[in-house]
């Protein structure tokens, strides 16, 4: 299937402000892009592209004072299949893990494994290792946290999400990642698009999404504790230890978000209708 995806963010800045942007589709999906989701700014400014330490595509700009709009709009081909699953995927002992997976066992800014370790073992030690244990973590987090944009707070950690029982998708993901790491299962944070394809109507306002990947059976697998169901049309933007590594936008100065639109919609082979745009001011 073909999907049109993109975003439009508008900022009000009191002074010229350097910014880092992670808004482009991940390099692992580059070959699927029929029309690249090139970054466009209004007013036009110089854009410097680079790869961060996790391999994500990033852009640097200096936003001028006043209103500035940053947007992307692309078309991607997707196989239309749900997230892969393998109930038999086994947990790999720490001493046998590849070196690149070890960083995803350690505590990070929003995932305090040192604080949650005793709780995680008491809660999940009875669960079978491997896929069933990770699914048990996702089931627990999905039931424990009540979703609501009114509960969003950019500084909330996994421990705070557990104690408060409210949050948005990044809070579900941080808590699930922290619990998996406590159980010696490498887990990393992912951000990107998740479409509403196959979901019952009415659809809620579109937003960027957060989920996790865990290392089982020699490869990384997608788990989504926020939705905790079968999803189609998932498109990765960036991955890291937690949200601190992969903020969609990071400004080195004051700014106010004035407009926020995200879209990902299926389009036909012969035409490309206007995407459904949802705006939250």
């Amino acid at each position: 299937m073909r999907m049109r995806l993109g975003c439009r963010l508008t900022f009000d800045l009191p002074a010229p402000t350097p910014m880092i942007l992670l808004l482009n589709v991940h390099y692992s999906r580059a070959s699927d892009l029929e029309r690249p989701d090139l970054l466009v700014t209004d007013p036009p400014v110089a854009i410097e592209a680079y790869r961060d330490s996790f391999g994500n595509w990033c852009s640097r700009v200096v936003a001028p004072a006043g209103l500035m709009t940053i947007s992307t709009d692309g078309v991607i081909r997707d196989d239309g299949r749900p997230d892969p699953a393998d109930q038999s995927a086994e947990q790999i002992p720490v001493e046998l893990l590849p070196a690149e997976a070890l960083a995803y066992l350690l505590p990070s800014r929003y995932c305090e494994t040192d604080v949650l370790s005793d709780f995680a073992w008491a809660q999940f030690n009875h669960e079978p290792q491997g896929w069933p244990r990770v699914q048990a973590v996702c089931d627990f987090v999905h039931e424990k946290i009540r979703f609501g944009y009114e509960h969003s707070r950019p500084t909330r950690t996994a421990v705070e999400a557990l104690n408060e029982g409210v949050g948005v998708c990044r809070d579900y993901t941080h808590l699930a990642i922290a619990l998996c790491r406590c159980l010696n299962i490498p887990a990393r944070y992912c951000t990107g698009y998740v479409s509403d394809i196959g979901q019952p109507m009415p659809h809620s306002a579109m937003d960027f999404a957060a989920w996790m990947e865990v290392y089982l059976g020699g490869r990384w697998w997608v788990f989504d504790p926020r939705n905790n169901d079968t999803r189609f049309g998932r498109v990765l933007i960036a991955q890291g230890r937690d949200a601190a590594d992969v903020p969609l936008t990071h400004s080195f100065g004051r700014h106010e978000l004035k407009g926020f639109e995200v879209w990902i919609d299926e389009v036909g082979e012969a035409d490309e209708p206007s995407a459904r745009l949802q705006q939250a001011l």
Side-chain angles (χ1 to χ4, degrees), residues 46-180:
I47 301 173
E48 178 186 347
Y50 71 97
R51 297 278 287 272
D52 68 11
S53 59
F54 299 97
N56 303 307
W57 285 346
C58 308
S59 299
R60 298 175 66 182
V61 302
V62 177
L67 290 177
M68 179 177 183
T69 297
I70 300 167
S71 61
T72 65
D73 189 39
V75 175
I76 193 167
R77 288 190 174 270
D78 190 84
D79 60 17
R81 291 180 289 185
D83 299 324
D86 182 359
Q87 302 288 335
S88 65
E90 297 180 349
Q91 182 172 335
I92 297 177
V94 173
E95 63 271 21
L96 299 180
L97 286 169
E100 58 269 21
L102 295 178
Y104 299 104
L105 288 176
L106 305 178
S108 56
R109 166 67 179 87
Y110 293 107
C111 301
E112 313 101 314
T113 54
D114 48 347
V115 180
L116 288 170
S117 181
D118 289 345
F119 173 84
W121 284 107
Q123 185 73 30
F124 301 104
N125 191 43
H126 65 285
E127 300 288 350
Q129 289 193 7
W131 192 282
R133 184 169 287 187
V134 177
Q135 187 58 59
V137 168
C138 290
D139 292 343
F140 171 82
V141 172
H142 183 75
E143 293 299 323
K144 180 66 176 178
I145 298 179
R146 177 165 51 89
F147 182 88
Y149 287 112
E150 69 275 16
H151 305 307
S152 177
R153 188 174 74 243
T155 59
R156 182 181 287 116
T157 68
V159 169
E160 291 170 336
L162 177 65
N163 292 336
E164 297 173 19
V166 296
V168 292
C169 58
R170 61 175 270 160
D171 301 307
Y172 288 78
T173 303
H174 284 148
L175 179 54
I177 286 173
L179 294 173
C180 284

Side-chain angles (χ1 to χ4, degrees), residues 147 149 196 200-207 226 276 278:
F147 182 88
Y149 287 112
D196 285 328
M201 297 293 287
H203 294 158
S204 58
M206 185 56 64
D207 195 356
R226 157 68 178 102
R276 172 173 52 85
Q278 301 289 347

Side-chain angles (χ1 to χ4, degrees), residues 8-12 249 255-260 280-281:
R8 184 178 296 109
L9 312 179
T10 300
F11 298 91
D12 190 2
T249 64
H255 71 273
E256 182 180 356
L257 183 63
K258 303 291 286 186
F260 181 82
L281 295 179

Side-chain angles (χ1 to χ4, degrees), residues 168-228:
V168 292
C169 58
R170 61 175 270 160
D171 301 307
Y172 288 78
T173 303
H174 284 148
L175 179 54
I177 286 173
L179 294 173
C180 284
R181 290 178 185 172
C182 289
L183 301 168
N184 297 331
I185 303 169
R188 64 190 183 190
Y189 184 95
C190 300
T191 184
Y193 301 91
V194 179
S195 80
D196 285 328
I197 295 171
Q199 295 298 304
M201 297 293 287
H203 294 158
S204 58
M206 185 56 64
D207 195 356
F208 288 114
W211 63 89
M212 69 175 180
E213 292 179 348
V214 302
Y215 195 81
L216 296 172
R219 59 162 288 184
W220 294 96
W221 300 90
V222 167
F223 284 84
D224 187 343
R226 157 68 178 102
N227 294 304
N228 207 29

